[in-house]
Amino acid sequence: MLKRQFPCRPEPSRPIVTRAPHRPVGRFVSDKMHGPLEWESFLEWDHFRVLETDNYVKEYHPQPPPIDYPLDGQTRSYTADALVHRRDGRRVYVEVKYEEDAKRLDNVAKFEAIDSVCRKLGADFHVATEKEIRRQPRLSNAKELLRYRRVESKGRLELDVMEAVTTQRLVTVRDLMGAIRLPDSRLGELYALALRGDINIDLETAPLSPDSKVFRPYA
């Protein structure tokens, strides 16, 4: 299997709650970020699972360094829930918020001010609500794909897949399996390669299956 380089993870800008009697907290083990990431709500946990399976996302850092923003004549400090680095070079500060809270007038004004500062820093600002993060079938597909994260490919499967997706016209996962003569019993190995970015599988439009559309890996 080809070796991969992992980013150096900065420490979160503030201590993350690891025990809380009145709200869920936990850790998500990220292969993309080469280690455990702490989450402070089930919605953040779901967000991590979506980011982990999004091959457009190169890196994502929970609780990045804070940024200052002006509001009501004062300078305030804001720490995003995640800073996402996308493969097209964009940086996106993400606030994970339930839609009801995001629509509160005080939060709307706060987010507008933060968005303005982010644009001056050459970055984007985005509020991700439960309607986006828990959109189906995307979230269910992320959870399903993550089941294969510890599956190892056998033989020269990785090289065969890379050759097939770059030289042949493929439409579905089933096409790819036929092109490289992979038996159904090894489907999980393909899903593991998709997690690592060697191929891209459509997770947006239909439940994950051999009929899912397959694409070339992103550069």
Side-chain angles (χ1 to χ4, degrees):
M1 183 169 295
L2 298 180
K3 294 182 178 179
R4 290 171 174 79
Q5 298 297 320
F6 295 96
C8 179
R9 288 195 302 136
E11 290 297 318
S13 62
R14 66 170 176 81
I16 295 178
V17 176
T18 56
R19 291 185 181 181
H22 304 299
R23 61 172 169 162
V25 294
R27 289 186 173 185
F28 172 75
V29 178
S30 167
D31 292 331
K32 185 173 287 187
M33 296 308 298
H34 201 44
L37 307 176
E38 288 80 10
W39 51 264
E40 297 180 330
S41 72
F42 287 134
L43 190 59
E44 281 190 15
W45 185 18
D46 286 341
H47 186 230
F48 287 167
R49 290 190 278 201
V50 171
L51 293 175
E52 187 76 10
T53 55
D54 184 348
N55 287 333
Y56 277 117
V57 172
K58 184 178 181 181
E59 306 173 14
Y60 59 102
H61 303 276
Q63 306 294 332
I67 57 177
D68 292 334
Y69 68 99
L71 185 64
D72 298 332
Q74 298 180 6
T75 298
R76 309 189 181 196
S77 180
Y78 168 72
T79 299
D81 290 311
L83 174 58
V84 176
H85 294 260
R86 300 186 65 82
R87 292 193 179 278
D88 60 6
R90 288 192 300 134
R91 295 180 301 132
V92 185
Y93 288 89
V94 180
E95 173 73 17
V96 175
K97 211 78 168 174
Y98 284 96
E99 185 173 32
E100 183 178 0
D101 288 337
K103 288 183 175 180
R104 283 172 30 200
L105 292 180
D106 57 336
N107 278 331
V108 170
K110 171 183 174 179
F111 295 155
E112 287 178 351
I114 293 169
D115 178 72
S116 178
V117 171
C118 286
R119 283 188 277 111
K120 292 177 181 178
L121 295 174
D124 296 330
F125 176 71
H126 178 66
V127 179
T129 71
E130 73 276 15
K131 288 189 175 181
E132 173 188 339
I133 294 171
R134 291 175 172 164
R135 184 179 71 251
Q136 298 295 350
R138 180 65 178 87
L139 180 59
S140 292
N141 283 340
K143 293 178 180 179
E144 176 67 14
L145 199 62
L146 286 167
R147 292 178 53 220
Y148 301 91
R149 64 197 309 174
R150 295 295 172 256
V151 174
E152 296 288 340
S153 56
K154 302 173 185 176
R156 51 170 285 136
L157 177 63
E158 187 173 354
L159 296 176
D160 289 343
V161 166
M162 293 175 66
E163 181 179 355
V165 297
T166 55
T167 62
Q168 301 190 40
R169 182 179 177 84
L170 303 172
V171 178
T172 67
V173 171
R174 195 184 308 277
D175 292 336
L176 176 56
M177 295 174 70
I180 61 178
R181 300 179 181 177
L182 190 72
D184 292 346
S185 60
R186 297 179 63 188
L187 175 61
E189 295 177 48
L190 278 186
Y191 289 160
L193 291 183
L195 267 175
R196 294 191 284 269
D198 294 317
I199 57 172
N200 284 309
I201 296 177
D202 176 21
L203 303 177
E204 299 286 345
T205 59
L208 185 66
S209 77
D211 295 317
S212 297
K213 294 180 181 179
V214 65
F215 311 97
R216 294 181 180 183
Y218 303 128

